[in-house]
Amino acid sequence: MNSVSPSLISPDIPTQPQVSTPLKLGIMASGSGSNFEAVAQAIQNGQLNAQIQVLIYNNPDAYAAVRADKWNIKSVLINHRDYKYRKDLDKQIVQTLRSHDVEWVIMAGWMRLATQTLIDAFPDKIINIHPSLLPSFKGVGAIEQAIEAGVKITGCTVHLVCLEMDSGKILMQAAVPVLPDDNPDTLHTRIQIQEHRILPAAIGLAAKG
Ligand code: GAR
């Protein structure tokens, strides 16, 4: 069996700490930050042995920064609009993550593609959550894509990040039925319930591996 094997659909989420020393996480978010908060909550509940060193956000009005304040977690705005080249944005991100002693990078609703600069700085230690059962429905609008395709089951995936978008090794998935009267908002709400379960669990599993 692989050290980090894809979990079954709707996995039982471990409630014990996965590693003996707290993981040092850097979280990256672009929007609401509910997944960021789910990780913070899992740490507080003792389900994940980790500490969040810093939140990086790229949109000045991202609600994730408000959540960080609430949790007393340092947040740093790195606005992608200030960088002409993606690799320069990622250089600044790497510098910020390193200056906060980050070991694992968690993209929790981070809506920018990673360049080789970021991937090389944290090899096999960047984790992303995506609102579909990959490899289906990559990229933006994953939930709209699922509704449009008429699938009866979709879900969410936690995976390692590689250069190709939404294509790295799958760590954990959860399935969510698509109901006949679903719209993107109702479906996203139910997907997020599962995201908040599997993201902290997958971080623990990845680190253990
Ligand atoms: C989440 O549903 C996440 O899966 C998605 O953005 C949302 C962020 O929500 N990520 C992607 O679409 C990445 N391709 P949040 O800000 O409330 O955590």
Side-chain angles (χ1 to χ4, degrees):
M1 199 168 131
N2 291 335
S3 52
V4 179
S5 55
S7 291
L8 297 175
I9 284 170
S10 300
D12 285 336
I13 305 301
T15 54
Q16 297 303 311
Q18 299 295 305
V19 288
S20 51
T21 49
L23 307 171
K24 294 176 184 169
L25 308 181
I27 302 200
M28 297 166 63
S30 296
S32 159
S34 71
N35 279 287
F36 157 72
E37 188 155 10
V39 174
Q41 189 69 62
I43 293 169
Q44 191 182 71
N45 294 349
Q47 293 170 305
L48 177 64
N49 188 14
Q51 55 200 37
I52 302 175
Q53 307 286 101
V54 66
L55 168 78
I56 292 176
Y57 63 106
N58 63 315
N59 290 318
D61 58 353
Y63 189 67
V66 176
R67 295 187 201 257
D69 285 349
K70 189 182 97 180
W71 283 86
N72 222 7
I73 291 169
K74 174 146 184 223
S75 63
V76 176
L77 171 64
I78 303 180
N79 191 333
H80 64 276
R81 299 163 190 85
D82 296 338
Y83 299 84
K84 188 169 174 194
Y85 299 107
R86 286 170 50 217
K87 75 171 174 27
D88 291 334
L89 169 70
D90 278 1
K91 263 189 203 165
Q92 184 60 43
I93 289 171
V94 168
Q95 197 183 341
T96 304
L97 292 169
R98 288 209 168 120
S99 71
H100 289 85
D101 202 19
V102 166
E103 294 170 332
W104 286 84
V105 181
I106 314 300
M107 294 181 167
W110 177 255
M111 305 307 268
R112 315 294 306 169
L113 286 175
T115 66
Q116 200 69 54
T117 301
L118 179 54
I119 290 168
D120 286 348
F122 294 91
D124 288 332
K125 289 200 165 176
I126 307 176
I127 289 174
N128 183 48
I129 183 146
H130 183 76
S132 76
L133 291 176
L134 292 173
S136 295
F137 311 130
K138 297 178 180 180
V140 291
I143 295 166
E144 289 81 354
Q145 291 180 54
I147 291 174
E148 177 69 22
V151 296
K152 301 303 178 201
I153 294 177
T154 185
C156 46
T157 302
V158 181
H159 64 95
L160 294 179
V161 171
C162 64
L163 203 52
E164 199 185 333
M165 181 183 64
D166 298 330
S167 297
K169 182 184 173 84
I170 291 174
L171 300 175
M172 195 175 279
Q173 295 184 301
V176 176
V178 182
L179 304 180
D181 56 352
D182 259 335
N183 60 49
D185 287 341
T186 57
L187 183 52
H188 194 196
T189 299
R190 293 204 313 288
I191 288 173
Q192 287 221 296
I193 292 168
Q194 298 307 319
E195 289 186 337
H196 300 162
R197 295 174 65 232
I198 70 170
L199 180 57
I203 294 168
L205 277 183
K208 198 180 176 194

